[in-house]
Amino acid sequence: MHYIIKPLMLGKMLMNCSLMTYMLNFQKEIWVPIVTWYVKTEDKNVLIDSGASVDIMKKYWYADYEEIMTFEQALDSVDTTPEEIDVVIQTHLHFDHCGNTSKCRNAEVIVQSEELAFSRKPHPLFFGSYLRRGELDEVNFKEVDGDAEVFPGIEVLKVPGHSPGTQAISIQTENANVVLSGFCSIADNFSPPEKFKKLWPVLTPGVHVDALQAFASAKRVKEEADVIIPIHDMEFASKNQIP
Ligand SMILES: [Zn+2]
């Protein structure tokens, strides 16, 4: 089975680039996309993350935002509705990645056990990164531990560090193993400036619970993927479909 990935960009958020690239780019402001990624399997509607509306994000993070479309409009563009989503694969549970998940009332939601446990009792340092208590109570979670195949040709890879249970998603397309990074990152994370390259083949995600793990996980994604989709990269998020 070969898949096509459709990025559905719900909005944009202005942020300091160092939140993506640890120890670098403190002077740079960038717009990052808030995305839900749609994949159609043989008989199921699958989303990777559900994104979040600007209204939700404003409750958690002070920034400039631009709304592009609602979750319902985004799904309508691929001829589906929140109720018709069968599976949501959560890269992790930071608010910008799961703000619409509870709208997918009939979906099974695949998440790493460690991420779910942490989200229910976040460390104070990351309290503001997770949805308030109760927001995901109605969600039908299916927990996984480590790497797992979820459909033929779609695999979750545990890549901790950004959050305790971040997972990347490996998807077999017609001619490549495409990997959605899972951790919040942009293209620069995977192509560091020339002078750093030897020591740092990847740039560590700026937000992390464990910088060393986050570095190792970024390295793993770079080594295993033919094509990497950094999940906050504007270029990929703007595409109509991949490939
Ligand atoms: Zn993010």
Side-chain angles (χ1 to χ4, degrees):
M1 182 79 191
H2 291 149
Y3 301 96
I4 286 170
I5 305 155
K6 289 188 176 273
L8 307 172
M9 204 199 301
L10 306 180
K12 297 181 207 175
M13 156 163 66
L14 188 65
M15 62 162 60
N16 190 283
C17 190
S18 66
L19 289 166
M20 294 288 145
T21 57
Y22 183 50
M23 302 293 266
L24 290 175
N25 299 315
F26 293 105
Q27 315 293 344
K28 199 167 147 192
E29 297 280 305
I30 54 166
W31 283 98
V32 301
I34 307 302
V35 193
T36 177
W37 312 79
Y38 175 76
V39 180
K40 178 112 181 89
T41 71
E42 222 161 338
D43 57 352
K44 295 214 185 318
N45 291 310
V46 179
L47 291 181
I48 296 162
D49 290 346
S50 64
S53 66
V54 167
D55 281 350
I56 290 180
M57 287 190 294
K58 277 183 176 163
K59 287 193 208 163
Y60 293 88
W61 183 259
Y62 297 104
D64 285 337
Y65 294 100
E66 243 178 61
E67 184 143 84
I68 297 170
M69 54 185 163
T70 65
F71 185 56
E72 289 77 6
Q73 287 166 339
L75 296 188
D76 190 54
S77 74
V78 290
D79 291 324
T80 190
T81 64
E83 292 75 24
E84 286 170 357
I85 297 300
D86 301 295
V87 175
V88 181
I89 306 175
Q90 289 292 160
T91 60
H92 60 298
L93 292 173
H94 287 168
F95 63 86
D96 54 323
H97 297 268
C98 61
N100 292 308
T101 300
S102 61
K103 290 182 177 176
C104 303
R105 287 199 301 267
N106 302 310
E108 181 172 74
V109 178
I110 299 174
V111 68
Q112 290 286 327
S113 299
E114 234 176 301
E115 184 68 10
L116 186 59
F118 190 84
S119 77
R120 286 174 170 162
K121 208 171 179 287
H123 184 283
L125 188 56
F126 287 92
F127 187 78
S129 305
Y130 289 89
L131 294 182
R132 301 276 181 274
R133 246 194 135 73
E135 300 270 356
L136 297 173
D137 276 3
E138 305 294 306
V139 170
N140 174 25
F141 283 111
K142 185 190 172 199
E143 298 180 41
V144 290
D145 250 314
D147 297 358
E149 187 177 63
V150 290
F151 292 103
I154 301 183
E155 204 185 334
V156 297
L157 314 172
K158 190 173 180 188
V159 288
H162 172 62
S163 66
T166 310
Q167 54 187 1
I169 322 298
S170 153
I171 299 177
Q172 210 54 54
T173 65
E174 198 175 341
N175 38 32
N177 172 28
V178 174
V179 180
L180 280 94
S181 65
F183 43 83
C184 298
S185 54
I186 55 175
D188 301 35
N189 289 84
F190 300 96
S191 50
E194 209 50 54
K195 59 180 171 188
F196 296 113
K197 251 183 186 158
K198 219 170 151 192
L199 210 53
W200 294 353
V202 290
L203 299 181
T204 303
V207 175
H208 46 252
V209 292
D210 183 326
L212 307 188
Q213 260 188 350
F215 176 85
S217 289
K219 246 180 108 210
R220 178 185 177 193
V221 166
K222 186 170 178 172
E223 282 159 13
E224 292 187 16
D226 301 322
V227 176
I228 305 165
I229 301 181
I231 57 173
H232 282 303
D233 190 75
M234 198 54 91
E235 195 192 317
F236 277 104
S238 308
K239 286 184 196 279
N240 188 34
Q241 61 175 56
I242 303 156

